[in-house]
Tab-separated table of all heavy atoms in Angstrom:
chain	number	residue	atom	x	y	z
A	1615	GLY	N	4.088	9.833	-22.833
A	1615	GLY	CA	5.511	10.208	-22.518
A	1615	GLY	C	6.032	9.358	-21.338
A	1615	GLY	O	6.685	9.990	-20.453
A	1616	LEU	N	5.756	8.139	-21.199
A	1616	LEU	CA	6.173	7.318	-20.105
A	1616	LEU	C	7.718	7.079	-20.088
A	1616	LEU	O	8.273	6.913	-21.121
A	1616	LEU	CB	5.477	5.995	-20.113
A	1616	LEU	CG	3.922	5.913	-19.992
A	1616	LEU	CD1	3.476	4.435	-20.016
A	1616	LEU	CD2	3.470	6.631	-18.769
A	1617	SER	N	8.267	7.141	-18.927
A	1617	SER	CA	9.642	6.830	-18.704
A	1617	SER	C	9.770	6.251	-17.356
A	1617	SER	O	8.940	6.442	-16.471
A	1617	SER	CB	10.598	8.054	-18.893
A	1617	SER	OG	10.257	9.009	-17.903
A	1618	TYR	N	10.866	5.475	-17.114
A	1618	TYR	CA	11.040	4.827	-15.870
A	1618	TYR	C	12.470	5.142	-15.293
A	1618	TYR	O	13.384	5.091	-16.081
A	1618	TYR	CB	10.917	3.320	-16.010
A	1618	TYR	CG	11.318	2.443	-14.875
A	1618	TYR	CD1	10.626	2.489	-13.653
A	1618	TYR	CD2	12.531	1.664	-14.937
A	1618	TYR	CE1	11.076	1.724	-12.563
A	1618	TYR	CE2	12.900	0.882	-13.851
A	1618	TYR	CZ	12.203	0.939	-12.674
A	1618	TYR	OH	12.651	0.210	-11.587
A	1619	GLY	N	12.497	5.449	-14.054
A	1619	GLY	CA	13.763	5.662	-13.444
A	1619	GLY	C	13.680	6.090	-11.974
A	1619	GLY	O	12.704	5.590	-11.334
A	1620	TYR	N	14.544	6.881	-11.403
A	1620	TYR	CA	14.491	7.166	-10.081
A	1620	TYR	C	14.888	8.657	-9.844
A	1620	TYR	O	15.490	9.285	-10.654
A	1620	TYR	CB	15.420	6.297	-9.256
A	1620	TYR	CG	16.908	6.408	-9.569
A	1620	TYR	CD1	17.730	7.439	-9.002
A	1620	TYR	CD2	17.473	5.524	-10.483
A	1620	TYR	CE1	19.027	7.533	-9.343
A	1620	TYR	CE2	18.831	5.604	-10.823
A	1620	TYR	CZ	19.599	6.678	-10.304
A	1620	TYR	OH	20.921	6.793	-10.566
A	1621	ILE	N	14.420	9.132	-8.666
A	1621	ILE	CA	14.873	10.410	-8.149
A	1621	ILE	C	15.616	10.221	-6.845
A	1621	ILE	O	15.472	9.119	-6.217
A	1621	ILE	CB	13.702	11.422	-7.987
A	1621	ILE	CG1	12.740	10.832	-6.941
A	1621	ILE	CG2	13.089	11.695	-9.301
A	1621	ILE	CD1	11.597	11.736	-6.606
A	1622	GLY	N	16.375	11.177	-6.413
A	1622	GLY	CA	17.038	10.994	-5.124
A	1622	GLY	C	18.512	10.716	-5.316
A	1622	GLY	O	19.230	11.291	-6.080
A	1623	ASN	N	18.933	9.727	-4.553
A	1623	ASN	CA	20.365	9.336	-4.554
A	1623	ASN	C	21.238	10.422	-4.117
A	1623	ASN	O	22.320	10.725	-4.659
A	1623	ASN	CB	20.806	8.779	-5.915
A	1623	ASN	CG	22.014	7.901	-5.774
A	1623	ASN	OD1	22.316	7.313	-4.773
A	1623	ASN	ND2	22.725	7.786	-6.920
A	1624	LEU	N	20.758	11.180	-3.028
A	1624	LEU	CA	21.524	12.318	-2.545
A	1624	LEU	C	22.399	11.965	-1.342
A	1624	LEU	O	23.131	12.810	-0.819
A	1624	LEU	CB	20.473	13.397	-2.143
A	1624	LEU	CG	19.471	13.848	-3.221
A	1624	LEU	CD1	18.503	14.850	-2.640
A	1624	LEU	CD2	20.284	14.433	-4.446
A	1625	TRP	N	22.270	10.767	-0.836
A	1625	TRP	CA	23.045	10.380	0.329
A	1625	TRP	C	24.537	10.239	-0.047
A	1625	TRP	O	24.872	9.528	-0.965
A	1625	TRP	CB	22.487	9.021	0.877
A	1625	TRP	CG	23.096	8.617	2.122
A	1625	TRP	CD1	23.971	7.597	2.297
A	1625	TRP	CD2	22.887	9.080	3.479
A	1625	TRP	NE1	24.285	7.397	3.646
A	1625	TRP	CE2	23.624	8.368	4.353
A	1625	TRP	CE3	22.074	10.176	3.973
A	1625	TRP	CZ2	23.650	8.617	5.722
A	1625	TRP	CZ3	22.058	10.438	5.231
A	1625	TRP	CH2	22.827	9.609	6.121
A	1626	SER	N	25.382	10.859	0.704
A	1626	SER	CA	26.861	10.941	0.420
A	1626	SER	C	27.622	9.737	0.886
A	1626	SER	O	28.697	9.495	0.396
A	1626	SER	CB	27.397	12.223	0.849
A	1626	SER	OG	27.236	12.352	2.285
A	1627	GLY	N	27.039	9.136	1.895
A	1627	GLY	CA	27.772	8.017	2.511
A	1627	GLY	C	27.373	6.676	1.948
A	1627	GLY	O	26.444	6.531	1.131
A	1628	PRO	N	28.069	5.567	2.362
A	1628	PRO	CA	27.793	4.251	1.726
A	1628	PRO	C	26.735	3.455	2.556
A	1628	PRO	O	26.542	2.347	2.429
A	1628	PRO	CB	29.109	3.579	1.830
A	1628	PRO	CG	29.684	4.190	3.231
A	1628	PRO	CD	29.188	5.578	3.205
A	1629	PHE	N	25.996	4.205	3.325
A	1629	PHE	CA	25.112	3.485	4.355
A	1629	PHE	C	23.674	3.183	3.891
A	1629	PHE	O	23.030	2.392	4.459
A	1629	PHE	CB	25.157	4.230	5.702
A	1629	PHE	CG	26.471	4.491	6.182
A	1629	PHE	CD1	26.956	5.806	6.232
A	1629	PHE	CD2	27.320	3.484	6.549
A	1629	PHE	CE1	28.230	6.056	6.731
A	1629	PHE	CE2	28.605	3.740	7.057
A	1629	PHE	CZ	29.075	5.018	7.072
A	1630	ARG	N	23.233	3.919	2.888
A	1630	ARG	CA	21.888	3.713	2.447
A	1630	ARG	C	21.669	4.151	1.017
A	1630	ARG	O	22.459	4.921	0.541
A	1630	ARG	CB	20.808	4.441	3.335
A	1630	ARG	CG	20.599	5.841	3.001
A	1630	ARG	CD	19.567	6.479	3.960
A	1630	ARG	NE	19.258	7.831	3.399
A	1630	ARG	CZ	18.567	8.739	4.172
A	1630	ARG	NH1	18.389	8.460	5.430
A	1630	ARG	NH2	18.285	9.879	3.652
A	1631	ASP	N	20.672	3.570	0.382
A	1631	ASP	CA	20.332	3.954	-0.990
A	1631	ASP	C	18.937	4.623	-0.895
A	1631	ASP	O	17.973	4.010	-0.634
A	1631	ASP	CB	20.274	2.643	-1.804
A	1631	ASP	CG	19.887	2.925	-3.270
A	1631	ASP	OD1	19.495	4.047	-3.665
A	1631	ASP	OD2	20.091	2.059	-4.075
A	1632	ASP	N	18.899	5.953	-1.160
A	1632	ASP	CA	17.687	6.668	-1.018
A	1632	ASP	C	17.014	7.004	-2.335
A	1632	ASP	O	16.193	7.974	-2.428
A	1632	ASP	CB	17.861	7.955	-0.150
A	1632	ASP	CG	18.720	9.037	-0.940
A	1632	ASP	OD1	19.367	8.692	-1.865
A	1632	ASP	OD2	18.760	10.120	-0.443
A	1633	ARG	N	17.373	6.208	-3.401
A	1633	ARG	CA	16.678	6.413	-4.579
A	1633	ARG	C	15.205	6.015	-4.536
A	1633	ARG	O	14.900	5.014	-3.866
A	1633	ARG	CB	17.399	5.633	-5.689
A	1633	ARG	CG	18.770	6.122	-6.071
A	1633	ARG	CD	19.478	5.172	-7.106
A	1633	ARG	NE	19.702	3.890	-6.531
A	1633	ARG	CZ	20.120	2.865	-7.180
A	1633	ARG	NH1	20.461	2.962	-8.427
A	1633	ARG	NH2	20.360	1.680	-6.633
Side-chain angles (χ1 to χ4, degrees):
L1616 298 182
S1617 61
Y1618 168 70
Y1620 63 83
I1621 59 173
N1623 201 23
L1624 304 176
W1625 186 252
S1626 58
F1629 308 111
R1630 83 178 191 199
D1631 182 344
D1632 67 346
R1633 292 175 295 175

